[in-house]
Every structure is written in C-alpha cells, then in structure tokens.
Amino acid sequence: GYQQFKAKIAKTIRDGRKGFATLERVKELTVRKKTLRLPAFAFSLSSHETQVTPKEGATLLRLLGPDAALISAYDAWKCSRDKDFHYTIKSLRESETVLFLDSGNYEAYRKNDHYSKKKNPNGWHKDHFREMVARLSPDLAFSFDTINPKGEPDWIAARIAASFRADDRALRERDFPLCPIIHLPSECEEPLASCAARIVSKVAAELDPIMLAIPERELGDGLLNRVRTVRDIRKALNDL
C-alpha cells in the first residue's frame, strides 16, 4: 500500500539531501513582471496529444487563466495564418498566465514533419522556430533541441550548448529568457542516472540558465528509476 510505496521512495533517495542543508529550494520563478510559485503545473497544449485542436485549446487556456501554460512553436507555425489563434495567444501572454513556448520538435517528430533538404524541404526547421519565438514573444522559450542524441555525454552536452548559443544569438533582441531542453541518449556506457547527471551539470555550468528541461519519459523506466535519475541530477547541480 501507500506506506510500502513511501518506504521504497525513501530507500531509493537514501541520503540524497546530506551535505546540502544550507541550500534552499527555489520557491518562485519571476519572468518579466510575472511571478510563478514553485513547484508549478503548466497546462500543456499539443497537436499530438491534446484532444482539442491548438486553436480550441488556446481559447480554453485563455478562458481558464492557469498560472502557467505551455504551447508548441510547431503548432503556432502551423497556425501562422490563423489570426484568431495568434490573437488568443497574445491575450494569454498579456494576462497573468506565465506563457512557456516549447521548441515544437516533439510535434514535428511525431508527425514526421522535420525539415529534410530532399525528403521534406518544407518541413519544420530551426528558422521557423526562431520566427515563431520572435512573433509570439512568450514569457519564456525553450531552445531548438535534438531528439535521440547519440555519442558520449560530454559531446552531447557540448552540442546542446552550441545549439542553444546559436538560438541565443539569433534571438538576441528578445526581452525574455531562453532555456535549453536536454535529451538523454538511449544508449550509454554508464547508468542512465549518472549519464544524465553528467550531461545536465555540464550544460548548466556552461550556460547558467534559469531553467533546464528534460522530458520525463527519458528519465528511466518506472517511477523509482526516475526518482534515482532526478536525485543524481540534483546532487550534480548542487555541486556546481
């Protein structure tokens, strides 16, 4: 039951907090003139997994007025000519809701709509992403990411940092933070938790962003493995 589950979690975490008694958890995130209390839940809208269309979902978000909302740059690009959709997003951004903009690569990947010079020349491209970021001007945007990275952890971290810096330069006129998305390799010579900790800590040390994003599905199989991965990531970040 619950007590057994709680005991398993405690055993998994073990002494993860030792040595960090002087550190305090961040309690809020401030972007522009908005403050989001942490931990927070962001209502996410995606053309791949949401049961309503992006246009309908954007209207629902505006009416609901959540503390935080996440929309896809890819979906916004697909709705580029829909004035109502972009007006709704503008209204949402001007409200108290903290508006996050995702890279859109998840939707493009699921829909097999990534740019390819020969196979899909009109597909989703980093230039489209940057165009949507500039047009929507969210409260916080996540940079253009690479799904299913391959290679050693240090090399993956270096590529993430390089891609982030390219977006940062291209969007240098913005007045909102840009944060990296970190994807973990499906194959690694070391345990996933330690591999994740190495990549995340190197990216954090290199870029010093206010936030890092990692897809939950990549943290491991099952809740306990994901707890171990998050624990090791947190310990590595605490050592910076």
Side-chain angles (χ1 to χ4, degrees), residues 20-93:
F20 306 115
T22 59
L23 295 177
E24 294 185 5
R25 180 186 295 273
V26 176
K27 296 181 180 180
E28 60 184 31
L29 171 69
T30 300
V31 287
R32 287 178 169 152
K33 295 182 180 180
K34 302 179 183 179
T35 299
L36 180 65
R37 295 181 60 185
L38 302 175
F41 177 83
F43 284 69
S44 177
L45 177 62
S46 170
S47 60
H48 175 65
E49 295 181 326
T50 308
Q51 297 303 309
V52 295
T53 66
K55 182 176 181 178
E56 294 168 336
T59 300
L60 287 173
L61 288 175
R62 181 176 59 82
L63 294 173
L64 181 61
D67 292 337
L70 174 74
I71 63 172
S72 163
Y74 174 85
D75 291 342
W77 175 60
K78 283 296 187 180
C79 295
S80 293
R81 298 182 180 180
D82 191 325
K83 294 182 179 179
D84 290 339
F85 172 83
H86 283 273
Y87 176 79
T88 302
I89 296 302
K90 180 176 181 291
S91 298
L92 186 64
R93 187 193 72 226

Side-chain angles (χ1 to χ4, degrees), residues 50-196:
T50 308
Q51 297 303 309
V52 295
T53 66
K55 182 176 181 178
E56 294 168 336
T59 300
L60 287 173
L61 288 175
R62 181 176 59 82
L63 294 173
L64 181 61
D67 292 337
L70 174 74
I71 63 172
S72 163
Y74 174 85
D75 291 342
W77 175 60
K78 283 296 187 180
C79 295
S80 293
R81 298 182 180 180
D82 191 325
K83 294 182 179 179
D84 290 339
F85 172 83
H86 283 273
Y87 176 79
T88 302
I89 296 302
K90 180 176 181 291
S91 298
L92 186 64
R93 187 193 72 226
E94 293 175 347
S95 70
E96 294 299 315
T97 297
V98 175
L99 181 63
F100 295 97
L101 183 66
D102 190 31
S103 70
N105 280 330
Y106 177 72
E107 287 76 18
Y109 174 77
R110 289 294 185 177
K111 296 173 182 291
N112 195 27
D113 194 23
H114 266 295
Y115 168 82
S116 173
K117 186 175 182 179
K118 292 183 178 180
K119 296 181 179 180
N120 191 23
N122 296 318
W124 178 240
H125 188 273
K126 62 183 178 182
D127 290 341
H128 299 137
F129 161 74
R130 294 168 182 172
E131 176 188 350
M132 288 300 102
V133 173
R135 179 176 177 180
L136 296 175
S137 186
D139 296 311
L140 185 150
F142 292 103
S143 61
F144 201 78
D145 52 327
T146 300
I147 298 175
N148 296 328
K150 301 183 185 302
E152 294 297 318
D154 291 354
W155 188 89
I156 292 174
R159 295 304 303 161
I160 292 171
S163 177
F164 174 90
R165 285 202 172 94
D167 286 337
D168 190 35
R169 289 191 298 270
L171 298 165
R172 57 185 175 276
E173 300 298 328
R174 70 186 190 280
D175 66 345
F176 51 87
L178 185 69
C179 298
I181 299 177
I182 296 175
H183 289 280
L184 305 178
S186 57
E187 298 181 1
C188 191
E189 295 182 357
E190 59 190 290
L192 176 62
S194 59
C195 177

